[in-house]
């Protein structure tokens, strides 16, 4: 009898201990474990919405206000982190109750007054102020809040979002965004999605923007300056284009509808409700595919415009699960720019492939690192991620044929619309659609160091003349090596 009572008492004790542990919870991880940025993002919750209520004083370059973040706990949560670089945090509330907080590097550590049960929605409000700090990426480029003479050029790939708002800064945690920002009268704020309202009271102007579709934090922008703004509609989409008043020739932005229509026919429906562009002089030196409204640092050429618009499907809607898979963004957008060029009378896809594949295997810098294995964050935007990534797709098209290739792309954009995906997901899909075993093919093109060996080129031999023709019109990508140069040197390439 006493044994039965003892066993019952042990069960009760264990149950009580388990309940107490669940009630107290455990801290969320300070990062999601991305191989390249270990502290990026945060564990223990999933963000659903960001509401940023901000004010920017251009004269003193001060940003202040509050971020309200709606999230759902994914564990019994005693404490959680947000990513934030710099700023003075004055108050944090969780579900309208004051929370304690501390700082550790880019981690804002928040302890709510009560633990948050697994599966429960909650809201955190962070009030902060200070001078945004531009981030320097591992490859030396500028990122995040980048100052301009008349405001700011805000492009946050891959780790710049915490330079201007607290967030879970990883592409795997996508959320809806609303931005309300006040600036001095005469300035404009251009952001993602739809401009809901713009008003002026005295010396201040207020802008309210919303992006209702899920967005990775690095794709958010709040670019500030003096702009000419034009709006139009086509095919049910709302287009807003903002061009700095000092730029008198913005390039080929009138071709946005034609490019979007062409890609929609080939890749599947345009994935968002809004489209457009922002053109604003910036010292960053590259363009970025901010969601719904690509951002350019100067007058736009047609190929770069096509590249950034292609990202709306490949990168913005279908977003990488982790940063080492960035070729899923850049290889696809680079292949799409080749595709647009061929469509508008430029070299054929096969010619582009043959010319690039003709680059000698001894040119290690052109072929390494492999697209799906960059090796580290400093190589994240190397030329092979773009060019060899695009070559992989063109080689796949020749391997499986047009029908299965475009079926694969359309299934890709449909199945992972507004979601995250991996290289293995793409390989599995390509094999499923084509019915072929493509394991060795993708190993050769995506993972093996050096020039993929044994690939039989089709069509005409690449001659010196054709290589010179290729080089004369080469569309260089960000920070890549120039395969046509006689020496190895970095080139600022002008887009991501």
């Amino acid at each position: 009898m006493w044994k039965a009572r003892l066993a019952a008492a042990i069960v009760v004790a264990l149950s009580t201990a388990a309940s107490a542990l669940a009630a107290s919870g455990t801290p969320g991880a300070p990062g999601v474990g991305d191989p390249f940025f270990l502290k990026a993002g945060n564990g223990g919750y999933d963000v659903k919405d960001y509401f940023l209520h901000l004010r920017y004083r251009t004269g003193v370059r001060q940003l202040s206000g509050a971020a309200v973040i709606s999230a759902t706990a994914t564990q019994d949560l005693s404490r959680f982190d947000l990513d934030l670089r710099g700023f003075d945090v004055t108050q944090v509330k969780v579900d309208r109750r004051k929370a304690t907080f501390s700082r550790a590097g880019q981690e804002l550590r928040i302890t709510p007054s009560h633990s948050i049960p697994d599966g429960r929605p909650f809201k955190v409000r962070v009030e902060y102020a200070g001078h945004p700090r531009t981030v320097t990426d591992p490859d030396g480029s500028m990122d995040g809040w980048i100052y301009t003479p008349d405001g700011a050029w805000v492009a946050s790939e891959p780790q710049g979002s915490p330079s201007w708002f607290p967030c879970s800064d990883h592409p795997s945690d996508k959320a809806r965004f609303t931005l309300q920002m006040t600036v001095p009268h005469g300035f404009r704020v251009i952001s993602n999605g739809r401009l809901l309202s713009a008003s002026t009271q005295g010396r201040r102007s207020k802008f309210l923007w919303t992006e209702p579709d899920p967005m990775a934090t690095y794709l958010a922008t709040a670019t500030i300056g003096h702009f000419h703004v034009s709006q139009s509609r086509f095919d049910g989409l709302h287009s807003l284009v903002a061009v700095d008043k000092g730029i008198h020739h913005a390039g080929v932005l009138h071709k946005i509808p034609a490019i979007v229509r062409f890609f929609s026919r080939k890749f599947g429906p345009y994935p968002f409700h809004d489209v457009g562009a922002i053109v604003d002089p910036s010292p960053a030196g590259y363009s970025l595919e901010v969601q719904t409204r690509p951002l350019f640092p100067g007058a736009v050429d047609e190929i770069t415009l096509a590249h950034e618009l292609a990202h709306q499907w490949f990168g913005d809607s279908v977003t990488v699960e982790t940063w080492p898979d960035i070729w899923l963004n850049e290889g696809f957008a680079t292949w799409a720019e080749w595709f647009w060029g061929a469509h508008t009378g430029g070299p054929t896809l096969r010619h582009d492939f043959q010319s690039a594949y003709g680059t000698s295997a001894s040119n290690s810098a052109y072929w390494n690192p492999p697209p799906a294995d960059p090796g580290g964050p400093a190589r994240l935007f190397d030329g092979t991620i773009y060019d060899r990534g695009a070559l992989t797709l063109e080689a796949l098209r020749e391997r499986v044929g047009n029908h299965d290739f475009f079926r694969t792309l359309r299934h890709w954009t449909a199945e992972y619309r507004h979601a995250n995906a991996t290289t293995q997901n793409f390989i599995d899909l390509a094999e499923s659609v084509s019915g072929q075993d493509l394991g060795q093919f993708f190993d050769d093109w995506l993972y093996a160091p050096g020039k993929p060996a044994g690939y039989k080129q089709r069509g005409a031999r690449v001659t010196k003349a054709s290589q010179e023709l290729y080089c004369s019109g080469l569309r260089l990508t960000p920070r890549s090596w120039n395969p046509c140069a006689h020496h190895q040197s970095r080139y600022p390439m002008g887009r991501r």
Side-chain angles (χ1 to χ4, degrees):
M1 189 73 172
W2 67 271
K3 291 182 179 180
R5 290 177 179 173
L6 178 61
I10 291 173
V11 169
V12 170
L14 291 174
S15 177
T16 302
S19 298
L21 180 62
S24 61
T26 54
V32 299
D34 189 276
F36 286 178
F37 301 100
L38 294 177
K39 292 296 183 72
N42 297 284
Y45 62 91
D46 176 38
V47 178
K48 303 299 182 183
D49 292 275
Y50 291 94
F51 188 99
L52 307 180
H53 187 139
L54 303 176
R55 176 186 176 188
Y56 186 63
R57 298 168 63 192
T58 55
V60 294
R61 294 183 167 182
Q62 184 188 55
L63 183 68
S64 61
V68 178
I69 301 165
S70 299
T72 300
T74 58
Q75 66 180 63
D76 294 318
L77 201 56
S78 64
R79 191 189 76 205
F80 61 93
D81 288 11
L82 291 169
D83 299 313
L84 183 65
R85 295 173 180 266
F87 296 104
D88 294 321
V89 177
T90 55
Q91 182 173 258
V92 177
K93 290 185 176 182
V94 177
D95 290 334
R96 299 185 178 181
R97 295 182 177 181
K98 284 188 177 181
T100 59
F101 62 91
S102 62
R103 307 295 295 274
Q106 74 172 41
E107 301 299 315
L108 173 61
R109 294 176 173 171
I110 299 170
T111 304
S113 59
H114 298 286
S115 63
I116 305 169
D118 185 11
R120 177 184 153 187
F122 66 96
K123 287 187 178 182
V124 55
R125 177 184 173 91
V126 179
E127 297 180 9
Y128 63 105
H131 305 282
R133 301 176 185 174
T134 302
V135 177
T136 300
D137 289 330
D139 66 355
S141 64
M142 291 187 290
D143 186 3
W145 191 277
I146 300 169
Y147 292 102
T148 61
D150 65 345
W153 193 88
V154 183
S156 297
E157 186 184 32
Q159 55 171 350
S161 297
S163 73
W164 63 285
F165 68 99
C167 56
S168 180
D169 188 35
H170 193 264
S172 62
D173 198 355
K174 301 172 75 168
R176 298 177 291 266
F177 275 73
T178 300
L179 171 71
Q180 179 178 284
M181 181 172 279
T182 301
V183 291
H185 177 55
F187 290 83
R188 287 181 180 266
V189 180
I190 311 297
S191 189
N192 313 84
R194 186 70 53 89
L195 177 62
L196 297 183
S197 65
S199 60
T200 298
Q201 290 185 340
R203 297 180 179 179
R204 299 177 183 174
S205 295
K206 183 185 295 184
F207 298 85
L208 178 62
W209 292 86
T210 186
E211 172 49 271
D213 291 313
M215 180 167 67
T217 50
Y218 79 89
L219 295 169
T221 191
T223 293
I224 300 166
H226 298 99
F227 297 102
H228 290 295
V229 174
S230 59
Q231 301 186 59
S232 61
R233 296 189 68 86
F234 66 92
D235 301 344
L237 302 176
H238 181 263
S239 176
L240 185 147
V241 173
V243 179
D244 182 90
K245 289 185 175 181
I247 296 178
H248 301 293
H249 177 65
V252 293
L253 298 179
H254 64 280
K255 293 193 175 184
I256 289 174
I259 297 172
V260 169
R261 285 168 178 151
F262 177 69
F263 286 163
S264 295
R265 292 196 301 271
K266 301 300 182 179
F267 305 150
Y270 180 77
F272 305 111
H273 301 88
D274 294 87
V275 72
I278 308 169
V279 183
D280 189 29
S282 163
Y286 59 82
S287 302
L288 186 68
E289 66 273 15
V290 298
Q291 189 158 308
T292 72
R293 196 147 290 113
L295 181 59
F296 303 94
V300 188
D301 66 81
E302 188 170 334
I303 290 300
T304 303
L305 179 61
H307 181 102
E308 304 304 342
L309 288 174
H311 271 307
Q312 304 305 306
W313 285 264
F314 306 113
D316 293 12
S317 176
V318 183
T319 305
V320 294
E321 183 73 27
T322 61
W323 283 111
D325 277 336
I326 193 67
W327 87 276
L328 292 171
N329 295 10
E330 302 302 349
F332 281 56
T334 301
W335 182 88
E337 73 177 53
W338 294 359
F339 189 36
W340 173 255
H343 171 69
T344 54
T348 65
L349 287 167
R350 181 171 295 178
H351 181 275
D352 272 344
F353 177 88
Q354 291 171 333
S355 298
Y357 189 74
T359 303
S360 172
S362 65
N363 189 343
S364 176
Y366 184 78
W367 294 108
N368 292 299
D373 188 14
R379 307 296 299 272
L380 196 59
F381 299 104
D382 268 27
T384 51
I385 310 304
Y386 294 72
D387 296 330
R388 187 171 157 181
L391 287 169
T392 300
L393 292 172
E394 181 53 22
L396 178 65
R397 186 182 72 88
E398 293 199 8
R399 169 74 177 262
V400 304
N402 269 343
H403 181 264
D404 284 347
F405 177 76
F406 285 106
R407 280 184 64 212
T408 299
L409 294 189
R410 287 191 291 270
H411 278 291
W412 181 249
T413 61
E415 185 172 344
Y416 296 99
R417 180 183 174 94
H418 302 321
N420 298 90
T422 67
T423 295
Q424 190 59 53
N425 292 146
F426 183 73
I427 292 171
D428 292 344
L429 179 61
E431 290 186 327
S432 175
V433 170
S434 68
Q436 298 186 34
D437 180 352
L438 299 170
Q440 189 61 54
F441 169 87
F442 281 115
D443 282 347
D444 290 344
W445 279 99
L446 294 179
Y447 294 102
K451 181 177 180 177
Y455 185 82
K456 184 178 180 181
Q457 293 176 256
R458 305 181 183 184
R461 180 173 59 91
V462 178
T463 64
K464 180 180 178 181
S466 67
Q467 182 72 9
E468 289 174 351
L469 176 63
Y470 172 73
C471 292
S472 68
L474 186 65
R475 296 184 288 274
L476 297 172
T477 48
R479 310 167 190 157
S480 65
W481 297 91
N482 181 354
C484 302
H486 297 294
H487 56 88
Q488 307 291 353
S489 59
R490 289 281 185 179
Y491 284 73
M493 302 306 175
R495 65 182 179 277
R496 284 190 177 177

